[in-house]
Amino acid sequence: MSTSGATPAPLPAETGAAFVVDVEGFEGPLDLLLALARQQKVDLKQVSILALADQYLAFVGEARRASLDLAAEYLVMAAWLAFLKSRLLLPEPPAPDEPSGETLASALAFQLQRLEALRAVADRLAARPRLGREVFARGAPEAVATTTVAVVRAELSDLMRAYAAHLVRQTPQQLRIAPSDLDTVAAALERLERLLGATPGWAELRAFLPPGTVEGLQQGRLKARATLAATFAASLELVRDGRLRLSQSRPFGPIHLAPAPPAAGDAG
Amino acid sequence: MSPVDPLHCRLAEAILFASAEPVSLKALSQRLPEGADVAAVVSDLEAAYRDRGVNLVRIGDAVAFRTASDLAALMTEEKQVQRRLSRAALETLAIIAYHQPVTRAEIETIRGVHLSRGTLDTLFDLGWIRPKGRRAVPGRPVTWATTTAFLDHFGLAGLDELPGVDDLKAAGLLDARPAIQVYGEGREGDEDGCLDQGSP
Amino acid sequence: MSPVDPLHCRLAEAILFASAEPVSLKALSQRLPEGADVAAVVSDLEAAYRDRGVNLVRIGDAVAFRTASDLAALMTEEKQVQRRLSRAALETLAIIAYHQPVTRAEIETIRGVHLSRGTLDTLFDLGWIRPKGRRAVPGRPVTWATTTAFLDHFGLAGLDELPGVDDLKAAGLLDARPAIQVYGEGREGDEDGCLDQGSP
């Protein structure tokens, strides 16, 4: 394993080989890494992980320069490889509870070998003479007998399917009730109007939410979020009608509202 | 006996074995390599199989492998009619497996339909379910559970090997995913509401 | 070779010939007369058919007559149109075959990509894989294994006949654990997850 001190393999762009930046063809970062490793034209056991990291980073850099939309997993792998590269190049040893760069590199090499070996045997498996294609069963199974024994044919898959079908069929019944307990804008409007009369000045929007909503929001509950959305929508309606003022001092900051002052005539 | 090409013989043997219908000599000669002596091949096979458990028989101008007629009496037990379990029976079995012990009334409640008389009988006759005590409610109805034969048939070492709902989902069997999940509580990956951050 | 009763041989031959599905040795012995030496009968038949166009092959603990695999090229006219397995499905099948029993997460670890919904479903539909118990780790995930139908389809007598399985084992590549655990100091709960998880 030559993880350090190896001459970096030429970058894809320099090889002249038509290694077009086309992530579409790859099944994820590992697949891409394996393809890049094969370009080094050595046994995977001898692959230079450092060179591989450079190749990958160059590939990703090229893809971003071409404004290709790279899936997040490719970028995560790029970040990880950059980290690995620094580990391999830095002289100082890592903290005792962290694996060394060599260990990480070996692990990556192992993963590539495992995937490549797996693909090789998968191909060998697929190339075997297969029943119904190259090898055949008795074409005319004979019913020689005269007595009939009924054999029920049912596989675990049938059982699972039956239960799954049952579950799928059950669910719409629950569906009917679900939406009804979400707060509506109309309800929020009514609540705001009621509470607004008792509010002399500025107050935070959250003060107008029904009890329990704030806790629900902290837990990310959908019902609470719907209530918040409905209340905000209702407040906008009141602003439109000139009955309410809204204020927010900074993005994502608290929203305050206050009753609008009585109309001071139509001066203007 | 004429010197028949062994490859022709083997190929004819395989073709006749795999064919669902008797094969006419003409069709057979079309499938054998050019110049094969079909009549000789068939004669050879006929002779080779004369005293075996399977014979090559002529049916009109076609040939086919058939079980030796003298064995018919010995093979009587094996006629098996493969029958598929009805949907109702399969679903009932699944519900007993997943909800056991469970009473007839509970099965009907879960499935939302009346259970016809034969369904439990069928499963019982197959040896896949058995009564397992009575429920301590009025009427003391019998509860049903699955048997060891059930586990054997479906290749399960124990009931805890029954794939769970998550596994059904993972296998794509619950693809008609209920919209109810959209309304589920506590979705992960939620950003905090703006209210939580702003409050001093 | 033991003197096998010719009648037993002929009867077994007829039974096996008549069946399209593999017949387990247990089922075969139940159908032969009391005291028949099933193992010897099967060995005799295996030998008798070794060089013919139809062979007796072992599939797990069952046997079946199948057309000789070396005739494959000549049998092409019989070829049925079969859906080609996708790359993902083939690789997933291979991982299940070589690493079984194996969880979904382990499959994803080895392939380095998320397993799409339909993949296991396809293999399951083909009858080639089945759930096999649960792994004793948090979440108790279901593990997957191959079926007898898988062996039958690929003409394997057993899992030890999987191509290259010995080489893979010798090279230590039949380890489904995340690479860092295989290679590293076996740290647990590592944060360098992007290497180890199929779907970061």
Side-chain angles (χ1 to χ4, degrees):
Chain A
M1 177 83 41
S2 51
T3 47
S4 53
T7 319
L11 298 181
E14 300 167 11
T15 56
F19 210 84
V20 186
V21 174
D22 172 20
V23 186
E24 290 296 307
F26 292 101
E27 266 202 279
L30 201 60
D31 189 29
L32 170 55
L33 272 172
L34 188 54
L36 290 171
R38 287 212 184 100
Q39 284 202 320
Q40 292 188 13
K41 294 191 171 66
V42 291
D43 187 312
L44 269 190
K45 286 180 192 123
Q46 265 95 54
V47 79
S48 161
I49 293 295
L50 201 56
L52 186 59
D54 282 336
Q55 283 175 296
Y56 186 92
L57 293 172
F59 183 93
V60 168
E62 185 65 26
R64 302 189 87 174
R65 212 166 51 86
S67 307
L68 282 179
D69 223 1
L70 277 183
E73 51 192 7
Y74 287 91
L75 301 178
V76 171
M77 178 59 91
W80 189 86
L81 285 173
F83 162 79
L84 173 61
K85 198 178 145 188
S86 70
R87 264 292 157 80
L88 291 172
L89 295 174
L90 275 179
E92 75 248 34
D97 60 334
E98 284 179 34
S100 67
E102 270 71 25
T103 302
L104 291 176
S106 300
L108 178 57
F110 170 80
Q111 214 175 0
L112 293 173
Q113 283 170 41
R114 180 168 62 185
L115 183 60
E116 185 175 62
L118 187 272
R119 288 187 171 168
V121 292
D123 287 339
R124 285 174 67 185
L125 192 62
R128 289 183 65 86
R130 285 158 65 176
L131 189 64
R133 297 204 333 190
E134 289 93 8
V135 169
F136 297 89
R138 180 71 177 126
E142 283 174 79
V144 188
T146 46
T147 54
T148 302
V149 182
V151 175
V152 168
R153 189 184 163 84
E155 310 282 339
L156 184 59
S157 53
D158 298 325
L159 192 69
M160 285 172 65
R161 259 167 228 297
Y163 195 61
H166 157 74
L167 290 178
V168 168
R169 235 183 8 259
Q170 287 305 100
T171 33
Q173 296 176 353
Q174 301 166 332
L175 191 57
R176 276 179 223 126
I177 39 165
S180 63
D181 66 341
L182 295 183
D183 214 358
T184 63
V185 175
L189 203 53
E190 197 184 314
R191 191 175 59 245
L192 268 185
E193 284 176 321
R194 204 172 57 242
L195 294 173
L196 213 51
T199 310
W202 289 96
E204 211 183 314
L205 178 65
R206 63 190 295 166
F208 295 88
L209 297 173
T213 307
V214 174
E215 292 75 19
L217 282 171
Q218 278 157 2
Q219 290 157 21
R221 291 189 184 279
L222 184 87
K223 189 169 174 338
R225 296 169 65 194
T227 302
L228 175 63
T231 305
F232 182 61
S235 73
L236 290 179
E237 284 208 28
L238 288 173
V239 169
R240 189 192 57 199
D241 293 349
R243 297 161 62 193
L244 189 73
R245 286 176 294 165
L246 281 180
S247 154
Q248 187 181 30
S249 53
R250 57 190 164 84
F252 301 110
I255 296 170
H256 289 85
L257 46 79
D266 285 333
Chain B
M1 187 163 295
S2 59
V4 177
D5 186 330
L7 177 67
H8 296 173
C9 242
R10 294 182 67 226
L11 188 54
E13 201 173 15
I15 289 167
L16 293 172
F17 171 83
S19 170
E21 306 283 331
V23 180
S24 72
L25 294 182
K26 191 174 157 211
L28 189 57
S29 86
Q30 278 164 357
R31 305 229 2 222
L32 291 180
E34 197 83 32
D37 184 345
V38 179
V41 163
V42 169
S43 293
D44 258 25
L45 286 178
E46 249 178 341
Y49 281 89
R50 182 156 298 135
D51 299 320
R52 304 207 64 102
V54 173
N55 305 145
L56 189 66
V57 297
R58 289 178 189 262
I59 300 155
D61 64 349
V63 284
F65 278 119
R66 290 283 180 259
T67 312
S69 51
D70 66 308
L71 294 176
L74 288 167
M75 292 183 68
T76 39
E77 301 106 318
E78 304 133 34
K79 163 125 184 191
Q80 295 189 338
V81 175
Q82 290 222 328
R83 194 153 63 79
R84 282 209 163 262
L85 218 48
S86 73
R87 214 179 78 137
L90 208 50
E91 205 174 292
T92 302
L93 180 62
I95 284 163
I96 293 172
Y98 280 92
H99 296 265
Q100 62 187 298
V102 64
T103 68
R104 180 193 186 86
E106 288 162 352
I107 297 170
E108 291 181 337
T109 303
I110 293 170
R111 287 192 62 221
V113 289
H114 184 71
L115 193 55
S116 73
R117 169 142 198 100
T119 308
L120 284 179
D121 287 348
T122 304
L123 296 174
F124 184 71
D125 285 346
L126 285 164
W128 289 348
I129 64 168
R130 65 187 178 87
K132 189 188 182 187
R134 292 173 179 278
R135 181 78 83 226
V137 295
R140 307 197 64 239
V142 159
T143 63
W144 293 90
T146 54
T147 62
T148 312
F150 163 81
L151 295 177
D152 280 353
H153 182 92
F154 290 98
L156 298 164
L159 283 176
D160 60 345
E161 283 199 1
L162 265 183
V165 173
D166 288 346
D167 306 314
L168 297 180
K169 195 181 292 171
L173 291 175
L174 297 184
D175 243 356
R177 225 181 340 163
I180 188 79
Q181 284 194 353
V182 174
Y183 293 96
E185 302 278 46
R187 314 297 309 149
E188 52 191 342
D190 261 356
E191 326 84 286
D192 288 330
C194 59
L195 276 185
D196 301 331
Q197 295 173 8
S199 52
Chain C
M1 186 160 296
S2 60
V4 176
D5 186 330
L7 177 66
H8 294 174
C9 243
R10 291 183 67 226
L11 190 52
E13 192 174 22
I15 290 167
L16 294 172
F17 217 91
S19 172
E21 301 290 318
V23 178
S24 75
L25 294 182
K26 191 174 152 206
L28 187 60
S29 86
Q30 280 165 358
R31 292 158 90 173
L32 291 180
E34 196 83 30
D37 185 346
V38 179
V41 165
V42 169
S43 293
D44 261 25
L45 286 177
E46 248 178 339
Y49 280 89
R50 184 156 296 139
D51 300 320
R52 305 209 64 103
V54 173
N55 304 145
L56 187 65
V57 298
R58 290 179 190 260
I59 299 149
D61 59 356
V63 283
F65 276 117
R66 297 285 181 252
T67 61
S69 56
D70 66 305
L71 296 175
L74 296 166
M75 296 287 286
T76 42
E77 269 186 63
E78 292 276 353
K79 192 171 271 185
Q80 295 157 5
V81 185
Q82 271 210 353
R83 208 159 38 122
R84 264 186 73 85
L85 270 189
S86 73
R87 188 80 223 164
L90 177 62
E91 280 181 26
T92 302
L93 178 65
I95 291 170
I96 293 172
Y98 285 80
H99 293 266
Q100 62 186 294
V102 66
T103 66
R104 182 193 184 86
E106 287 163 350
I107 297 170
E108 294 181 335
T109 295
I110 294 171
R111 293 195 61 231
V113 284
H114 189 69
L115 194 54
S116 73
R117 229 152 218 272
T119 308
L120 282 180
D121 199 25
T122 302
L123 298 174
F124 191 62
D125 268 347
L126 287 164
W128 292 346
I129 64 168
R130 66 181 200 90
K132 189 185 182 187
R134 293 171 182 279
R135 179 71 40 89
V137 295
R140 306 196 64 235
V142 155
T143 62
W144 294 89
T146 53
T147 60
T148 305
F150 161 80
L151 294 177
D152 195 11
H153 185 88
F154 289 95
L156 299 162
L159 292 175
D160 52 355
E161 282 199 358
L162 281 171
V165 68
D166 293 334
D167 296 339
L168 255 63
K169 195 179 285 177
L173 293 172
L174 285 191
D175 196 327
R177 283 181 298 161
I180 191 72
Q181 282 176 27
V182 176
Y183 227 94
E185 290 81 40
R187 290 185 325 137
E188 43 204 346
D190 64 338
E191 307 79 44
D192 304 314
C194 78
L195 236 194
D196 302 330
Q197 274 136 36
S199 45

